[in-house]
């Protein structure tokens, strides 16, 4: 009996250590964002914003955003989420920007993801949450002059194309 106790005391720390290493290595890959795939639309008094996301693979999902008013494109943006080997990064390049801006993943959950870049002027945070099978809530937010401000984009699933 004493031998069993000694063996158990020796094995338990190894088991706990192994489980903690496994938990650290179990980072979600981009395919966990498959709920984002497809086309989403928000109509704000005739100003229609559409976001389209392609297939989510383990290392990449590509998206675009376009806003149309009175039949003319008023803005667009190229988007992607990539895995750089250390985690997911959301990369945005608006039409009027000379460079891309990267946001590191800060939170992932069941049908929710948050990206942050606290050094960026605005936004500093990008949030996506699937609230219903055909309803996507997106939000951009940040602190400007010490005040938190943000913009909400409640979207519904739309036909692609």
């Amino acid at each position: 009996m004493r031998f069993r106790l000694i063996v158990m005391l020796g094995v338990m720390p190894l088991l706990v250590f192994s489980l903690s290493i496994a938990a650290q290595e179990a980072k979600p890959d981009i395919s966990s964002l498959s709920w984002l795939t497809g086309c989403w639309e928000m109509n704000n008094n005739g100003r229609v914003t559409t976001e389209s996301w392609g297939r989510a693979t383990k290392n990449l999902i590509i998206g675009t955003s376009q806003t149309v008013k009175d039949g003319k494109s008023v803005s667009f943006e190229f988007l992607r989420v990539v895995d750089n080997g250390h985690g997911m990064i959301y990369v945005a390049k608006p039409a009027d920007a000379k460079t891309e801006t990267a946001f590191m993943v800060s939170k992932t959950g069941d049908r929710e993801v948050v990206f942050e870049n606290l050094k960026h002027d605005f936004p500093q945070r990008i949030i996506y949450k699937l609230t219903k099978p055909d309803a996507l809530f997106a939000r951009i937010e940040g602190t400007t002059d010490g005040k938190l401000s943000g913009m909400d984009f409640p979207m519904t699933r739309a036909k692609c194309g």
Side-chain angles (χ1 to χ4, degrees):
M1 182 73 164
R2 186 173 181 177
F3 178 74
R4 276 188 172 168
L5 181 61
I6 291 171
V7 169
M8 287 294 283
L9 290 174
V11 170
M12 286 302 280
L14 289 174
L15 180 62
V16 169
F17 178 74
S18 298
L19 291 173
S20 68
I21 292 294
Q24 289 174 3
E25 292 176 2
K27 290 184 258 175
D29 63 34
I30 293 169
S31 63
S32 69
L33 301 180
S34 61
W35 50 267
L36 191 57
T37 299
C39 297
W40 304 93
E41 184 175 277
M42 178 184 81
N43 188 333
N44 187 4
N45 297 322
R47 184 180 173 101
V48 179
T49 299
T50 306
E51 234 178 72
S52 302
W53 289 93
R55 182 179 356 150
T57 64
K58 288 183 179 183
N59 65 330
L60 177 68
I61 184 171
I62 298 172
T64 59
S65 176
Q66 180 181 21
T67 301
V68 175
K69 179 150 175 80
D70 298 327
K72 293 184 180 183
S73 293
V74 294
S75 68
F76 67 91
E77 190 169 10
F78 297 109
L79 311 165
R80 70 182 184 274
V81 180
V82 297
D83 186 336
N84 69 352
H86 301 288
M88 291 186 269
I89 299 175
Y90 182 99
V91 182
K93 183 165 186 321
D96 57 351
K98 291 185 170 121
T99 60
E100 299 175 329
T101 303
F103 299 81
M104 290 292 301
V105 68
S106 64
K107 178 184 173 188
T108 58
D110 187 36
R111 296 183 180 109
E112 179 181 18
V113 64
V114 179
F115 298 95
E116 287 185 338
N117 179 343
L118 299 179
K119 294 180 182 176
H120 190 251
D121 54 1
F122 188 88
Q124 295 165 338
R125 222 171 290 48
I126 300 169
I127 302 161
Y128 285 98
K129 185 172 186 168
L130 189 68
T131 57
K132 295 179 185 173
D134 58 352
L136 180 68
F137 175 79
R139 177 174 172 82
I140 58 173
E141 63 182 29
T143 304
T144 307
D145 297 326
K147 287 184 168 182
L148 179 66
S149 61
M151 296 173 62
D152 295 336
F153 301 89
M155 296 181 269
T156 55
R157 194 168 292 281
K159 185 176 175 185
C160 291

